[in-house]
Amino acid sequence: MNILVAVPVPALDLLTYRVPDGMTPPAVGARVVVPLGTRTVTGIVVEGAASVAIDEDDIKPIRQVLDEDAFLPADVIALARWTAEYYAAGPGDTIMAVLPPKTRGGRADSHKTVRVAMITAAGLDASSAAVTPKQRDALDILAGAPAGVPTSQLTARGIGADTVSRLVRNGLASVRQERVDRDPFDAFPFAATMAEADRRLTIEQEAALTRLRAMADSRRFGVALVHGVTGSGKTELYIRLSAAVRASGRSVLMLVPEIALTPAIASLFRQAFGDQVAIQHSGLSDGERHDQWQRIRRGEIDVVVGTRSAVFAPLADIGLIIVDEEHDGSYKQEESPRYNGRDVAIVRGQRTHALLVLGSATPSMESYHNAMSGRYERIVLERRVLDRPLAAVTVVDMREEYAAEGPDAVLSRALKDAVAARIERKEQALVLLNRRGFATAVFCRQCAGTLECPNCSVSLVVHGEGHARRANCHYCNYSTRVPAACPHCAGPYLEQAGFGTERVEAEVKRACPSARVARLDRDAIRRKGALGSLLSRFRDGAIDVLVGTQMIAKGHDFPRVTLVGVVSADVGLGMADFRASERTFQLLTQVAGRAGRGDQPGEAIIQTLYPEHYSIQLACRQDYPAFYERELQFRRAMRYPPLVSIINTIVRSRTFAGAMDDAADLVQRLRAESDRAGFRVLGPAPAPLGRLRGEYRAQFLLKGVNRKAMREALMAAVAARPDLQRRVVVDVDPVSVL
Ligand code: ADP
Ligand code: ZN
């Protein structure tokens, strides 16, 4: 008898193994140890009793079965298989994404343990004359705790290991090792200050809750798009709805883009549901994640809050799945399997007859399109709670600023004045620039040469000032000292151009010397714990101005922030990506929503070179419907999602010609199919990022309404060129085509 096994090895298909005579066939979802070439690996049984037309003798036997029952629930395996197929990824990659950390490679069930002391029957009866005073103290403590006391707690109360071991030797107490589940909430920097159980919902919240509850109670699959402006109280709504679904006996899955950036949400869920919440995200150690995962699998948990991969959490009987900030690009995994957690969540919801809630102040074009066409229920929260006004937005035309202040101006006069006013009033400000580093390019005034990455087709970015200056590649991590002379012409006229967050931080300090300024971007939070400490210092008022990348635009709720400055609102608009306008609109709307969440009204100042661009204009007016209509015209004219589906394919090669030729070959094979299957092929062309980590990249796009036909044609074309298999990257429903 044969079984199908998924092994966590990239790009591998499902493998067939034989169950040796005398061995009980393993359950679907169980882990098995199998030979693979010269290695031994742990895989997951995805299908039992497969009848495979291969000569029986060629099939290798499994070595060992690790689980009596399923380790992964059958519905999660089915979901993983759907994901592998839809996103054209190998089952190997997908199973890796679904397994919790630490079980990969078979090292399962590693847990932290503690020693717990317990009193015995003899100990309960022991007369005081028979023991020392210390032992008497210990027995009294233990007698009051029938389930036992960790020995570390006894030590803290002055009872040492020697006393305990004497009690054990005399039969008066026993000690056992007990597994503990590490609680990731211990690491959270601050508890939420909000949720009060008896808070009165606003009229809009109440109406939304009623509709959502009715949908959940029907126990039929349905999707609701909750389109609520920033500060309209969506989180409160999620918690009430989750409580209702939980009370009806079903479990809740809540996906968030990045827990580390929004610890308040996790804390609020913890406050509301206590121990019944598990948290799954990449900021946890493997051990912590593993513990949480095991608790979910054992059915001890009925609410899971997690990032993208939590969509595969082994949670049973799901009645509600919430995808918070559903438009967020971080739901898309940018390595194989290139799945979108939001879209996998919808499929999971469909299979478990759950209610899907997609929440956002700036819904993705896809979700809003589905809501407008009636496929999703649309629920609108138009007003902020307590009728707090949205921030007043001012646009500063930087062309005028350059004319007045010179071409080096980073901060406009309006923004400098506004920051200074906040410092005076003891309020706080956020200043956003979505670009890291100090200077974004180094060029030579003599030969016009630039400092480029030797591995990638991008300029190196300068980090640091003075002697600490380094030039780094943001794609491959190449790093070098900034040379004194031009590497091309040896001339001494190197100059820095462009600016990033480090420069903005320096400029804010210069403009407001008394301000306490800090920076929040990927460089600033490299050290473990740095992010939490920055956020809590800002919350506590130890920082006046926080400068940062889009990280500061995420769902934070800082009541004393009354000013948000955006230094270059158009950073993303120059990119050759069909979502550039959508992303700019989202970022500006989200960041403006961070101002004025407390009692004081907020203000946003947006600096740009393109004040008339629709994504900037409409973000300033916070007019989502108008943006949607305008953007939809563009998508329709250019045939982009949500009106068609696209698949992006990148072919990598050591040479430019190799990449282009191989891509051209695949395109030719596809063109033969495209008319019949009703899709178009665009390209091949050099990818916008034409060289990455030493490899050249050519690209082509498939566009059409029948995604399945496109994917199948593409897979057939790639299958005809097995030599390309490992050099082709297929991205179904790409979030970015760069
Ligand atoms: P959103 O997620 O829509 O941006 P939040 O859920 O963060 O909004 O709510 C914004 C603020 O309003 C939070 O501080 C929250 O505690 C508070 N809040 C939410 N609902 C209410 C309510 N009904 N009454 C008073 N305050 C509320
Ligand atoms: Zn590089």
Side-chain angles (χ1 to χ4, degrees), residues 328-349:
D328 199 287
S330 69
Y331 283 120
K332 177 81 173 178
Q333 175 150 303
E334 295 294 357
E335 59 185 59
S336 183
R338 295 168 185 272
Y339 67 97
N340 188 317
R342 175 195 62 208
D343 299 333
V344 177
I346 291 172
V347 171
R348 189 165 191 186

Side-chain angles (χ1 to χ4, degrees), residues 194 199-202 205 229-236 385-386 388 557 597:
M194 333 185 229
R199 174 156 40 220
R200 292 262 296 282
L201 293 183
T202 65
Q205 282 173 319
V229 296
T230 49
S232 58
K234 294 187 287 297
T235 310
E236 185 78 25
V385 294
L386 306 176
R388 285 172 192 143
D557 192 15
R597 291 171 72 92

Side-chain angles (χ1 to χ4, degrees), residues 430-512:
L430 291 172
V431 179
L432 172 103
L433 173 61
N434 210 7
R435 204 161 50 197
R436 293 183 289 128
F438 194 88
T440 48
V442 177
F443 75 99
C444 172
R445 272 200 290 145
Q446 184 162 287
C447 76
T450 57
L451 271 194
E452 299 246 324
C453 176
N455 312 315
C456 310
S457 52
V458 293
S459 295
L460 296 178
V461 174
V462 178
H463 287 255
E465 288 180 78
H467 291 303
R469 276 196 315 165
R470 295 197 68 82
N472 299 343
C473 173
H474 283 184
Y475 290 92
C476 73
N477 292 330
Y478 172 85
S479 176
T480 182
R481 281 213 344 250
V482 179
C486 173
H488 307 286
C489 71
Y493 307 110
L494 284 184
E495 216 164 86
Q496 297 188 171
F499 53 85
T501 42
E502 290 179 26
R503 172 82 184 278
V504 172
E505 182 188 13
E507 295 290 333
V508 173
K509 281 179 178 157
R510 212 164 60 156
C512 302

Side-chain angles (χ1 to χ4, degrees), residues 438-596:
F438 194 88
T440 48
V442 177
F443 75 99
C444 172
R445 272 200 290 145
Q446 184 162 287
C447 76
T450 57
L451 271 194
E452 299 246 324
C453 176
N455 312 315
C456 310
S457 52
V458 293
S459 295
L460 296 178
V461 174
V462 178
H463 287 255
E465 288 180 78
H467 291 303
R469 276 196 315 165
R470 295 197 68 82
N472 299 343
C473 173
H474 283 184
Y475 290 92
C476 73
N477 292 330
Y478 172 85
S479 176
T480 182
R481 281 213 344 250
V482 179
C486 173
H488 307 286
C489 71
Y493 307 110
L494 284 184
E495 216 164 86
Q496 297 188 171
F499 53 85
T501 42
E502 290 179 26
R503 172 82 184 278
V504 172
E505 182 188 13
E507 295 290 333
V508 173
K509 281 179 178 157
R510 212 164 60 156
C512 302
S514 68
R516 294 162 303 171
V517 185
R519 178 165 51 84
L520 174 54
D521 58 22
R522 245 189 303 142
D523 303 307
I525 59 165
R526 288 257 148 80
R527 200 169 39 77
K528 197 171 157 62
L531 173 63
S533 111
L534 263 177
L535 291 176
S536 54
R537 274 165 58 217
F538 190 57
R539 167 158 292 241
D540 294 346
I543 295 169
D544 303 311
V545 184
L546 193 58
V547 175
T549 53
Q550 41 93 28
M551 284 185 175
I552 65 172
K554 303 259 166 160
H556 309 294
D557 192 15
F558 297 120
R560 266 183 307 212
V561 170
T562 59
L563 171 70
V564 166
V566 180
V567 174
S568 299
D570 32 61
V571 164
L573 286 179
M575 302 203 181
D577 192 328
F578 71 95
R579 290 189 208 269
S581 298
E582 182 181 7
R583 248 189 242 122
T584 300
F585 178 85
Q586 285 165 349
L587 182 61
L588 295 183
T589 309
Q590 295 280 346
V591 76
R594 297 302 128 218

Side-chain angles (χ1 to χ4, degrees), residues 36-66:
L36 181 72
T38 56
R39 290 187 292 160
T40 307
V41 297
T42 302
I44 297 280
V45 180
V46 300
E47 234 169 83
S51 47
V52 188
I54 304 178
D55 191 319
E56 285 286 331
D57 294 343
D58 280 357
I59 303 176
K60 291 187 188 150
I62 52 175
R63 293 260 163 83
Q64 198 188 340
V65 179
L66 295 180

